[in-house]
Each structure stands twice: as C-alpha cells, then as structure tokens.
Amino acid sequence: MSRIDFIANRADVIKNIYTLYSYATGSNLEYKEWAIQRFKQGRWYVVEPFGDTLMFGPSRFVGYRDNSIDKHRIDHGDGTQTNQKFRELKIYKEIEDPYLSLEFTHFMNALGIEKDSAKFFIPYDLDIADLKTAHSCYFICPTHCDGQKKEAWKNFLSKSIMAIGWDATDYSSFSLEDIQKEYTDDPKAISAFNLIKQIKAGDIVCCTNNNFGLWGIGIALSSYKFEKNIHYAGIDSDGNESYYSHYIDVAWLRHECNNYIPTQDLKIKLPEKQWVPYGTLTRKDVIPEYIRDFLLNINRDNMETTDIYKKYIALLEANKNIILTGAPGTGKTYLARAIAKAMNAEYEFVQFHPSYDYTDFVEGLRPTKSDDKGNIGFERKNGVFKDFCIRAMGSNAVSPQNKLELFKQHVLASQNSVAIDYVDTKNKEPFKVSVREDGSINVSISTGSQQSATDKDIIEAIEKGQRIGQKTYPYCIASYIEKNLPSPTRSSNIPYVFIIDEINRGELSKIFGELFFSIDPGYRDAKDLRVKTQYQNLINDKSDPFFEGFYIPKNVYIIGTMNDIDRSVESMDFAMRRRFAWEEVKANENTGMLDDLKEMKDEVIATMQHLNKVIWDEDENNGIEGLSSAYHIGGAYFSKLSIYLNETHSNKEEAYRYLWNNHLKGVLFEYLRGTPDAIENLKKLENAYYNKDTDDTEG
C-alpha cells in the first residue's frame, strides 16, 4: 500500500494539523479516541506556530494532502515517505531542542497524553528564536464595496489569502517612509500598508464582517507579497470593478460554510474588547483570548463547569432521554441548556402545553396559500422534532473531489488495478484503471491502448451524474465510485439535544403518537425498525431521509423538564416514564444562574438554603407539615434580585424586600393555602428569609 497524495506546501500541513487537533478536542467520542491514538503513536512531529501557541502534528498524518479520518483509515501511508517529502520540498527541517521537547510535553498533556519523547520538523525558513517570538492578531475587511463582503470573503477563502487595495505597485522593497511619500494625503492607506508590512508567518488573521462577527480565522503563512489584481473586491460606488494587489498567504482554519461566525459565539469577556468594526486593516498586539480560545476549541466556561455537568452528560449519553425533575425554580431549564452547551451540542427548545399536538411535534397537514381563485389546499409539513432529526442527520456528503481521492486510494490499495464494467463505452468491454505516479488516472482497454481520464472530467461526471459529451470513461468511473465505494452520506456525529420544557403539561400520547417506539433508547438509529407515521403515504420525495419510515438518529438526545409538585405529573403514563431516566435537581445543586449577582452570590445561596431548611430539612427529615423538598425555592427565584439591584449593589436590603413581596411571598402562600396554621407558617418562612430568629420555644 502506498499513498501518493503528498502535501505541496505549509498550508496543506497546517490544515492537517488543525484537522487532527479538531478531532482530538471535539465532541465526537469515536473521532476523539482515534485522533488521540494518532498523537500517541507518532514518532516524528511537525511543529507550527498558531499565534503564540505551538501546535504539533504527527508527520504520517499531516504529510498527505487534505487528510481525514476516512482517508487515513483506508491507507495510513508510510511515515518515512512523508518525512522525505518534507525534506525534498524544503518545507521543513529536522531539529532537536529542549525548548521544543518542553512545549511538546505541555501540548500532549493538554490532550491527556503522557508522552515526552519525539523528533521534530520545524518550518524550513524558521529557527527556534522565531518559534519563541510573540505574535499579533490582525483584523482585515475583505472589501470596501458595500454589500459585497460575503463574495469578497469567499475569494479570500478560495485563494488562501488576505489582501488590501490602493495602487497596483509592488511595495516589496519600499520602506514605510517610501510608502508615506506615495500616500501623503491618505492616512488610511499609510496605516494599512504599515500593518501589512509587519505581518509575519504564524500571526493570526481574522476576516471581519463589521461588528456582526468574523467570516473566518486563520494563520498567516507569509509576509507581504504582491501580485497584480490577485483579489477581486467587487463593484465600487462609482460602478467600477475593484481589484487588490497587496496580499498575505493565509491558511483559513475556522469559518462557517455559508455564513459568518456571530460575535456572541466568540464569548468576548471584559476587559477584552471587540475588534475595530470598521476600517481596512487593524491589529491587536496581544492575541485576544477569545480569538485564541475559539480557534483552538478551548471553552473556558466548559473547563470550569465540566465537573458540574459531568454526571448529567453521562446519564444522557447512556440513556439518550432524561427528565430533570425537582422543585420550582431550581433551574431545570437553565440546567438543560447548560448540559447541551457543555456537550458542544446543537440544541432546540420547545415548551409543551395543553394545546400542543402531533402536528406541531411530528408532522401534519397545513393550509397552503390560496390560489388565483381563492382556493386553499393542504400539504404535509414536518413538525419541529422531525425537522430537528433531519438536521441532526446532517448532510455530511463527501465532496466530488474527496470521492475521487478516496477512489484513488481504493485503486492503490487494490494493487493499483481495478476493473470497471462498461456503462456505455464504445467497445462495450470492461476496462482497468490505475493511478499514475503524478496522481492522474490511467485507463487500459483490451486493445492494449492507454488513455487518460482527467480529474476534472471525473469530478464533473460525479457532480452531474451523467456522461460529459463523448467522454465515457469518466462517467464509467464516476458510476463505479457511486455504486461501489462506501456511502458518502452518514449521520452527523455532532450531538443534537432537543429540550422539552414542562414536558408533563402536554398530552404526551397525543403529541408523540407512534414515536413512543422510536424514542426508546434501544432503537436509536434503527433503520431496520422504521416507524410508519400517520402521514407516511404523503411523503413522495425519495430524497427525504424518512421516505421509508421514521427513526431517531443516534446523535439525538432528549431532555425534558418538569416540576414535582405540578398535578399534571400524574398524567405521564408508564410507557413514557420507562423511556426516560429521571434525575432530581436540588435547589442547592444548580446555582450557576446566580453568577450575575457576583460578590453577592454566596450570601444569596446562604439565604436560599436557610429558607429551604425551614420549608423542609432533608438532613433532619422535618419541616412544615404538608411540605417536602419538592417545595424548596430554587435559584431562579433568587436570580430576580438582579431586577432590583443597582450597579453597586448598595441597595441590596431594598432588593431583598422587593423579592419577598413581589415573588416569594405569593408562591409560599399558595404552598400553604388551606393548611392548618398557614399564616403562622408563612411568618416563620419570612423570618427565615430575613434570617431572623425562628425559635418559638419557651425558655
């Protein structure tokens, strides 16, 4: 077995390092374990600066172009070959240095790996001093043309560059003073050229969408370069086409498929500030933590709260469905969202109520717009949960380019010869294909002649699913790929969490219908046990993933929330109960919602615990008659203090009074309504809240 799809430049390597690192730090446990093994088993590691963080990638993985878990499993290649390719291309050089060994140990420890022995390649034109140099973070707008940022960003991404405009003059040999003379009346140009001339390989580059977010985050691969009109920036306000010629090579690593990364996803925390939203090119001398953390998939909130949510995540992963139950206000809904975030999951939220039904949740008939004659028809529409399952399945279709690469690996793994039956070739005979040394496809037919099938033609045939003109061999190969190679579409492995608030308030048998079967943890991803839904006969689109029946993908999890003391709890039948794991949420266990109270948090928790102990003391198993721990007051009630507090919290006594009068007193009175000594007990609870003496015994 021999791979030939070697890397061609540093950008290829950096992207591979990032791919493997993303597997190792992601939420897909299968990919995570696989990547960790690659890191553990490596002998030679390529070193690259990602800003001020040194990243390491095993040479056997990072030495092949656009490598992935799928490609590597088919053929992992030979590490000695990748090492030789690094030397031949003069991209990397071997080095031994105690600094690298120490940084390597830190890097591996962060992945949970104990390994301190390795050999290293560093970029050919860098030395250890360069790897120790501090880096900056640059923010670049992709165009000055209004309304055309998305297309300009796509050009950055496709060409792996960032660029600025102004005159098409090569300033490679110009000093800043020379450039200032060129733009004496344009300080913006001087500022932009001053910055672009300072960028060095390893700096972080972010492409901005004003203050809305970032189109992408990447690593600079070069210093200043010039190529006339390398970047098309769009049509300016005068109707002229705009081209930029001054650029930097960039490996764009983090970006959305068809949109920008919203600012809120970056979790910017004071004292750090957002980038300057307008302007061509700006810089932060110190790389912001929010940029570094987002690029390297470091979730500091998760790091601090993993232990808190670990038991819930383990319970959910084992059972697929859980219900969080407990006293009102204990933050069950807050906790459900926090669990989903701690899992790095996509999630959706609905709240059940008595009018919620099957058509809302699964599918049903909905009216269509009236036609020209005013007639209204009906059509089948998916409900919120069915649509959620479709999103969770994902559309991880392998690109035509990757399909072709997988096919080449398949051919090489078959002793570089695969026989393909004809589809409509002129000679009506099978032919054989092999992969030439340069990676092109060779076609051998029975007459002994040799022909080529270009990558471009095969990819086009895969995309269109038909013969391209008279070129029949590419179509035959494309047909073979689609028929014989593993299915290019598979369920997404990103966790998807569906949160149902107040799950007991809906009529569950009416809402779930025949999905009672599908939500059973034992039947996740059971394609052979698909459920025929009530409207199955109206699904005519064969591309619908549920054309043959419904099932819940294995990466879909359900979290329900409900209050213990709600009378509608009794409406949950045993068929539903046995499909969920149940976890009680105590008032003192889930206090993250009180973080906004800052220095008052501990004081507020103590007040809450004091009040709840009088309601019902679980340690002593006593309290107010008729109540229990299910009647405890949770943190969600106490978080309302923030409504009444001023910025300095100097009015906290007043805020406590408002909280009691406007929120707690009424709830507690409802608990006690109709019970003996209701007024006396309410007074006892008020005293406990204000931390007054509640001992009524005589001395």
Coordinates of all heavy atoms in Angstrom, one line a residue, residues 107-172:
F107 N 1.8 20.4 25.3 CA 0.8 20.2 24.3 C 0.1 18.9 24.4 O -1.1 18.8 24.4 CB 1.4 20.3 22.9 CG 0.5 20.0 21.7 CD1 -0.4 21.0 21.2 CD2 0.4 18.7 21.2 CE1 -1.2 20.7 20.2 CE2 -0.4 18.5 20.1 CZ -1.3 19.4 19.6
M108 N 0.9 17.8 24.6 CA 0.4 16.5 24.8 C -0.4 16.3 26.1 O -1.5 15.7 26.1 CB 1.5 15.4 24.7 CG 2.2 15.4 23.3 SD 1.1 15.0 21.9 CE 1.4 13.2 21.9
N109 N 0.1 16.9 27.1 CA -0.6 16.8 28.4 C -2.0 17.5 28.3 O -2.9 17.0 29.0 CB 0.2 17.5 29.5 CG 1.4 16.7 29.9 OD1 1.5 15.5 29.6 ND2 2.4 17.3 30.6
A110 N -2.1 18.6 27.5 CA -3.4 19.2 27.4 C -4.4 18.3 26.7 O -5.6 18.5 26.9 CB -3.2 20.5 26.6
L111 N -3.9 17.3 25.9 CA -4.8 16.4 25.3 C -4.9 15.1 26.1 O -5.6 14.2 25.7 CB -4.2 15.9 23.9 CG -4.1 17.0 22.8 CD1 -3.4 16.5 21.6 CD2 -5.4 17.6 22.5
G112 N -4.4 15.1 27.3 CA -4.5 14.0 28.2 C -3.5 12.9 27.9 O -3.8 11.7 28.2
I113 N -2.4 13.2 27.2 CA -1.5 12.2 26.8 C -0.1 12.4 27.5 O 0.4 13.5 27.6 CB -1.2 12.3 25.3 CG1 -2.5 12.1 24.5 CG2 -0.2 11.2 24.8 CD1 -2.4 12.4 23.0
E114 N 0.4 11.3 28.0 CA 1.7 11.3 28.6 C 2.8 10.8 27.6 O 2.8 9.6 27.4 CB 1.8 10.5 29.9 CG 0.9 11.1 31.1 CD 1.1 10.3 32.3 OE1 2.0 9.4 32.4 OE2 0.3 10.5 33.3
K115 N 3.5 11.8 27.1 CA 4.5 11.4 26.0 C 5.5 12.5 26.0 O 5.1 13.7 25.7 CB 3.8 11.2 24.7 CG 4.8 10.7 23.6 CD 4.0 10.6 22.3 CE 4.9 10.1 21.1 NZ 5.2 8.7 21.2
D116 N 6.8 12.2 26.2 CA 7.8 13.3 26.2 C 8.9 13.0 25.3 O 9.9 13.7 25.3 CB 8.3 13.5 27.6 CG 8.8 12.3 28.3 OD1 9.0 11.3 27.6 OD2 9.0 12.3 29.5
S117 N 8.8 12.0 24.5 CA 9.9 11.6 23.6 C 9.4 11.7 22.1 O 8.4 11.1 21.8 CB 10.4 10.2 23.8 OG 11.3 9.8 22.9
A118 N 10.1 12.5 21.3 CA 9.7 12.7 20.0 C 10.8 13.4 19.2 O 11.7 13.9 19.7 CB 8.4 13.6 19.9
K119 N 10.6 13.3 17.8 CA 11.5 14.0 16.9 C 10.7 15.1 16.2 O 9.5 14.9 15.9 CB 12.2 13.1 16.0 CG 13.1 12.0 16.7 CD 13.8 11.1 15.7 CE 14.7 10.1 16.4 NZ 15.3 9.2 15.5
F120 N 11.4 16.2 15.8 CA 10.6 17.3 15.3 C 11.1 17.8 13.9 O 12.3 17.8 13.6 CB 10.7 18.5 16.3 CG 10.3 18.1 17.7 CD1 11.2 18.0 18.7 CD2 8.9 17.8 18.0 CE1 10.8 17.6 20.0 CE2 8.5 17.5 19.2 CZ 9.5 17.4 20.3
F121 N 10.1 18.3 13.2 CA 10.4 19.2 12.0 C 9.8 20.5 12.3 O 8.7 20.7 12.8 CB 9.6 18.6 10.8 CG 10.2 17.4 10.2 CD1 9.7 16.1 10.4 CD2 11.3 17.5 9.3 CE1 10.2 15.0 9.8 CE2 11.9 16.3 8.7 CZ 11.3 15.1 9.0
I122 N 10.6 21.6 11.9 CA 10.1 22.9 12.0 C 10.1 23.6 10.7 O 10.8 23.1 9.8 CB 10.9 23.8 13.1 CG1 12.3 24.0 12.5 CG2 10.9 23.1 14.4 CD1 13.1 25.1 13.4
P123 N 9.4 24.6 10.4 CA 9.4 25.3 9.1 C 10.8 25.6 8.6 O 11.7 26.1 9.4 CB 8.6 26.6 9.3 CG 7.6 26.2 10.4 CD 8.4 25.3 11.3
Y124 N 11.1 25.4 7.4 CA 12.5 25.4 6.8 C 13.1 26.7 7.0 O 14.4 26.8 7.3 CB 12.4 25.0 5.3 CG 13.8 24.8 4.7 CD1 14.3 23.5 4.8 CD2 14.4 25.8 4.0 CE1 15.6 23.2 4.3 CE2 15.7 25.5 3.5 CZ 16.2 24.2 3.6 OH 17.5 24.0 3.0
D125 N 12.4 27.8 6.9 CA 13.0 29.2 7.0 C 12.9 29.8 8.4 O 13.1 31.0 8.6 CB 12.3 30.1 6.0 CG 10.8 30.2 6.1 OD1 10.3 29.4 6.9 OD2 10.2 31.0 5.5
L126 N 12.5 29.0 9.4 CA 12.4 29.5 10.8 C 13.5 28.8 11.7 O 14.0 27.7 11.3 CB 11.1 29.2 11.4 CG 9.9 29.9 10.6 CD1 8.6 29.6 11.4 CD2 10.0 31.4 10.4
D127 N 13.8 29.4 12.8 CA 14.6 28.8 13.8 C 13.9 28.8 15.1 O 12.8 29.3 15.2 CB 16.0 29.4 13.9 CG 16.0 30.9 14.1 OD1 15.0 31.4 14.8 OD2 16.9 31.6 13.7
I128 N 14.5 28.3 16.2 CA 13.9 28.3 17.5 C 13.5 29.7 18.0 O 12.4 29.9 18.6 CB 14.8 27.6 18.5 CG1 15.0 26.1 18.1 CG2 14.2 27.7 19.9 CD1 13.7 25.3 18.1
A129 N 14.4 30.6 17.7 CA 14.1 32.0 18.2 C 12.8 32.5 17.5 O 12.0 33.2 18.2 CB 15.2 32.9 17.8
D130 N 12.6 32.2 16.2 CA 11.3 32.6 15.6 C 10.1 31.9 16.2 O 9.0 32.6 16.3 CB 11.4 32.2 14.1 CG 12.5 32.9 13.3 OD1 12.6 34.1 13.5 OD2 13.2 32.2 12.5
L131 N 10.2 30.7 16.7 CA 9.1 30.0 17.3 C 8.8 30.5 18.7 O 7.7 30.4 19.2 CB 9.4 28.5 17.4 CG 9.6 27.7 16.1 CD1 9.9 26.3 16.3 CD2 8.4 27.8 15.2
K132 N 9.8 31.2 19.3 CA 9.5 31.8 20.6 C 9.0 33.2 20.5 O 8.6 33.8 21.5 CB 10.9 31.9 21.4 CG 11.4 30.5 21.8 CD 12.7 30.6 22.6 CE 13.2 29.3 23.1 NZ 14.5 29.5 23.8
T133 N 9.0 33.8 19.2 CA 8.6 35.2 19.0 C 7.1 35.4 19.3 O 6.3 34.5 18.9 CB 8.9 35.6 17.6 OG1 10.3 35.5 17.4 CG2 8.5 37.1 17.4
A134 N 6.8 36.5 20.0 CA 5.3 36.8 20.2 C 4.7 37.2 18.9 O 5.3 37.8 18.0 CB 5.2 37.9 21.2
H135 N 3.4 36.8 18.7 CA 2.7 37.1 17.5 C 1.5 38.1 17.8 O 1.1 38.2 19.0 CB 2.1 35.8 16.9 CG 3.2 35.0 16.3 ND1 3.9 34.1 17.0 CD2 3.7 34.9 15.0 CE1 4.8 33.4 16.2 NE2 4.7 33.9 15.0
S136 N 1.0 38.7 16.8 CA -0.1 39.6 16.9 C -1.3 39.0 16.1 O -1.3 38.0 15.5 CB 0.3 40.9 16.3 OG 1.4 41.5 16.9
C137 N -2.4 39.8 16.3 CA -3.7 39.3 15.7 C -4.2 40.5 14.8 O -4.3 41.6 15.2 CB -4.7 39.0 16.7 SG -6.3 38.4 16.0
Y138 N -4.4 40.2 13.5 CA -4.8 41.2 12.5 C -6.3 41.0 12.1 O -6.7 39.9 11.9 CB -3.9 41.2 11.3 CG -2.5 41.6 11.6 CD1 -1.6 40.7 12.2 CD2 -2.0 42.9 11.4 CE1 -0.2 41.1 12.5 CE2 -0.7 43.3 11.7 CZ 0.1 42.4 12.2 OH 1.4 42.8 12.6
F139 N -7.0 42.1 11.9 CA -8.4 42.1 11.5 C -8.5 42.8 10.2 O -8.2 44.0 10.0 CB -9.3 42.7 12.6 CG -9.2 42.0 13.9 CD1 -8.3 42.3 14.8 CD2 -10.2 41.0 14.2 CE1 -8.2 41.6 16.0 CE2 -10.2 40.4 15.4 CZ -9.2 40.7 16.3
I140 N -9.0 42.1 9.1 CA -9.0 42.6 7.8 C -10.4 42.6 7.2 O -11.1 41.6 7.4 CB -8.1 41.7 6.9 CG1 -8.1 42.2 5.4 CG2 -8.4 40.3 6.9 CD1 -7.3 43.4 5.1
C141 N -10.8 43.7 6.6 CA -12.1 43.8 5.9 C -11.9 43.3 4.5 O -10.9 43.7 3.8 CB -12.6 45.2 5.9 SG -14.2 45.4 5.0
P142 N -12.7 42.4 4.0 CA -12.4 41.8 2.6 C -12.7 42.7 1.5 O -12.2 42.4 0.4 CB -13.4 40.6 2.6 CG -14.5 40.9 3.5 CD -13.9 41.8 4.6
T143 N -13.4 43.8 1.7 CA -13.7 44.7 0.5 C -14.2 46.1 1.1 O -14.7 46.1 2.2 CB -14.8 44.1 -0.4 OG1 -15.0 45.1 -1.5 CG2 -16.1 43.9 0.3
H144 N -14.0 47.1 0.3 CA -14.6 48.4 0.6 C -15.9 48.6 -0.1 O -16.5 49.6 0.1 CB -13.6 49.5 0.2 CG -13.4 49.7 -1.3 ND1 -12.6 48.8 -2.0 CD2 -13.9 50.6 -2.1 CE1 -12.6 49.2 -3.3 NE2 -13.4 50.2 -3.4
C145 N -16.3 47.7 -0.9 CA -17.5 47.8 -1.7 C -18.7 47.4 -0.9 O -18.8 46.2 -0.4 CB -17.4 46.9 -3.0 SG -16.0 47.3 -4.1
D146 N -19.7 48.2 -0.8 CA -20.9 48.0 0.0 C -21.6 46.7 -0.4 O -21.8 46.5 -1.6 CB -21.8 49.2 0.0 CG -21.3 50.4 0.7 OD1 -20.3 50.2 1.5 OD2 -21.7 51.5 0.4
G147 N -22.1 45.9 0.6 CA -22.9 44.8 0.3 C -22.3 43.6 -0.4 O -22.9 42.7 -0.8
Q148 N -20.9 43.6 -0.5 CA -20.2 42.5 -1.2 C -19.2 41.8 -0.4 O -18.3 41.1 -0.9 CB -19.6 43.1 -2.5 CG -20.6 43.8 -3.4 CD -20.0 44.6 -4.5 OE1 -19.4 44.2 -5.4 NE2 -20.3 45.9 -4.3
K149 N -19.3 41.9 0.9 CA -18.3 41.3 1.8 C -18.3 39.8 1.7 O -17.3 39.1 1.7 CB -18.6 41.7 3.3 CG -18.2 43.2 3.6 CD -18.4 43.5 5.0 CE -17.8 44.8 5.4 NZ -18.5 45.9 4.7
K150 N -19.5 39.2 1.6 CA -19.6 37.7 1.6 C -18.8 37.2 0.3 O -18.1 36.2 0.5 CB -21.1 37.3 1.5 CG -21.2 35.8 1.7 CD -22.7 35.4 1.8 CE -22.9 33.9 2.0 NZ -24.4 33.6 2.2
E151 N -19.1 37.7 -0.8 CA -18.4 37.3 -2.0 C -16.9 37.5 -2.0 O -16.1 36.7 -2.4 CB -19.0 37.9 -3.3 CG -20.4 37.5 -3.5 CD -20.6 36.0 -3.6 OE1 -19.8 35.3 -4.3 OE2 -21.5 35.5 -3.0
A152 N -16.5 38.7 -1.4 CA -15.1 39.0 -1.3 C -14.4 38.0 -0.3 O -13.3 37.6 -0.6 CB -14.9 40.4 -0.8
W153 N -15.1 37.7 0.7 CA -14.6 36.7 1.7 C -14.4 35.4 1.0 O -13.3 34.7 1.2 CB -15.5 36.6 2.9 CG -15.4 35.2 3.5 CD1 -16.4 34.3 3.6 CD2 -14.3 34.6 4.2 NE1 -15.9 33.1 4.2 CE2 -14.6 33.3 4.6 CE3 -13.0 35.1 4.5 CZ2 -13.8 32.5 5.3 CZ3 -12.1 34.2 5.2 CH2 -12.5 33.0 5.6
K154 N -15.3 35.0 0.2 CA -15.2 33.7 -0.5 C -14.0 33.7 -1.4 O -13.3 32.6 -1.5 CB -16.5 33.4 -1.3 CG -17.7 33.0 -0.5 CD -18.9 32.8 -1.4 CE -20.1 32.3 -0.7 NZ -21.3 32.1 -1.5
N155 N -13.6 34.8 -1.9 CA -12.4 34.9 -2.8 C -11.2 34.7 -1.9 O -10.2 34.1 -2.3 CB -12.4 36.2 -3.5 CG -11.4 36.2 -4.7 OD1 -11.2 35.2 -5.3 ND2 -10.8 37.3 -4.9
F156 N -11.2 35.4 -0.7 CA -10.1 35.2 0.2 C -9.9 33.7 0.5 O -8.8 33.2 0.5 CB -10.4 35.9 1.6 CG -10.0 37.3 1.6 CD1 -9.5 38.0 0.5 CD2 -10.0 38.0 2.9 CE1 -9.2 39.4 0.6 CE2 -9.7 39.4 3.0 CZ -9.2 40.0 1.8
L157 N -11.0 33.1 0.8 CA -11.0 31.7 1.2 C -10.5 30.7 0.1 O -9.7 29.9 0.3 CB -12.4 31.2 1.7 CG -12.6 29.8 2.2 CD1 -11.7 29.6 3.4 CD2 -14.1 29.5 2.5
S158 N -11.0 31.0 -1.1 CA -10.7 30.1 -2.2 C -9.2 30.2 -2.6 O -8.6 29.3 -3.0 CB -11.5 30.4 -3.4 OG -11.3 31.7 -3.9
K159 N -8.6 31.4 -2.4 CA -7.2 31.7 -2.8 C -6.3 31.6 -1.6 O -5.1 31.7 -1.8 CB -7.1 33.0 -3.5 CG -7.8 33.1 -4.8 CD -7.5 34.5 -5.5 CE -8.2 34.5 -6.9 NZ -7.9 35.8 -7.6
S160 N -6.8 31.4 -0.4 CA -6.0 31.3 0.8 C -5.1 32.5 1.0 O -3.9 32.5 1.1 CB -5.1 30.0 0.8 OG -5.9 28.9 0.8
I161 N -5.8 33.7 0.9 CA -5.1 35.0 1.0 C -5.9 35.9 1.9 O -7.1 35.7 2.2 CB -4.8 35.6 -0.3 CG1 -6.2 36.0 -1.0 CG2 -3.9 34.8 -1.2 CD1 -6.0 36.9 -2.2
M162 N -5.3 37.0 2.2 CA -6.0 38.3 2.6 C -5.3 39.4 1.8 O -4.1 39.2 1.5 CB -5.9 38.5 4.1 CG -4.5 38.7 4.7 SD -3.7 40.3 4.5 CE -4.3 41.0 6.1
A163 N -6.0 40.4 1.5 CA -5.4 41.5 0.6 C -6.0 42.8 0.9 O -7.1 43.0 1.5 CB -5.7 41.1 -0.9
I164 N -5.2 43.9 0.5 CA -5.7 45.3 0.6 C -5.5 45.9 -0.8 O -4.8 45.4 -1.7 CB -4.9 46.1 1.7 CG1 -3.4 46.2 1.4 CG2 -5.2 45.4 3.0 CD1 -2.7 47.1 2.3
G165 N -6.1 47.1 -1.0 CA -6.2 47.7 -2.3 C -5.2 48.8 -2.5 O -4.0 48.6 -2.2
W166 N -5.6 49.9 -3.0 CA -4.9 51.1 -3.4 C -4.1 50.8 -4.7 O -4.4 49.9 -5.5 CB -4.0 51.6 -2.3 CG -4.8 52.3 -1.2 CD1 -5.3 53.6 -1.3 CD2 -5.2 51.7 0.0 NE1 -6.0 53.8 -0.1 CE2 -6.0 52.7 0.7 CE3 -5.0 50.5 0.6 CZ2 -6.6 52.5 1.9 CZ3 -5.6 50.3 1.9 CH2 -6.4 51.3 2.5
D167 N -3.0 51.5 -5.0 CA -2.3 51.4 -6.3 C -1.7 50.0 -6.5 O -1.2 49.4 -5.5 CB -1.2 52.5 -6.3 CG -1.7 53.9 -6.4 OD1 -2.9 54.0 -6.6 OD2 -0.9 54.8 -6.2
A168 N -1.7 49.6 -7.7 CA -1.1 48.3 -8.1 C 0.4 48.5 -8.3 O 0.9 48.3 -9.4 CB -1.8 47.7 -9.3
T169 N 1.1 48.8 -7.2 CA 2.6 49.0 -7.3 C 3.2 48.0 -6.3 O 2.7 47.9 -5.2 CB 3.0 50.4 -6.9 OG1 2.3 51.3 -7.8 CG2 4.5 50.6 -6.9
D170 N 4.2 47.3 -6.7 CA 4.9 46.4 -5.8 C 5.7 47.1 -4.8 O 6.7 47.8 -5.1 CB 5.7 45.4 -6.6 CG 6.3 44.3 -5.8 OD1 6.2 44.3 -4.5 OD2 6.9 43.4 -6.4
Y171 N 5.3 47.0 -3.5 CA 6.0 47.7 -2.4 C 6.9 46.8 -1.6 O 7.3 47.1 -0.5 CB 5.0 48.3 -1.5 CG 4.1 49.4 -2.1 CD1 2.7 49.3 -2.0 CD2 4.7 50.5 -2.7 CE1 1.9 50.3 -2.6 CE2 3.9 51.5 -3.3 CZ 2.5 51.4 -3.2 OH 1.8 52.4 -3.8
S172 N 7.3 45.7 -2.2 CA 8.2 44.7 -1.5 C 9.5 45.4 -1.0 O 9.9 45.1 0.1 CB 8.5 43.5 -2.4 OG 7.3 42.8 -2.8

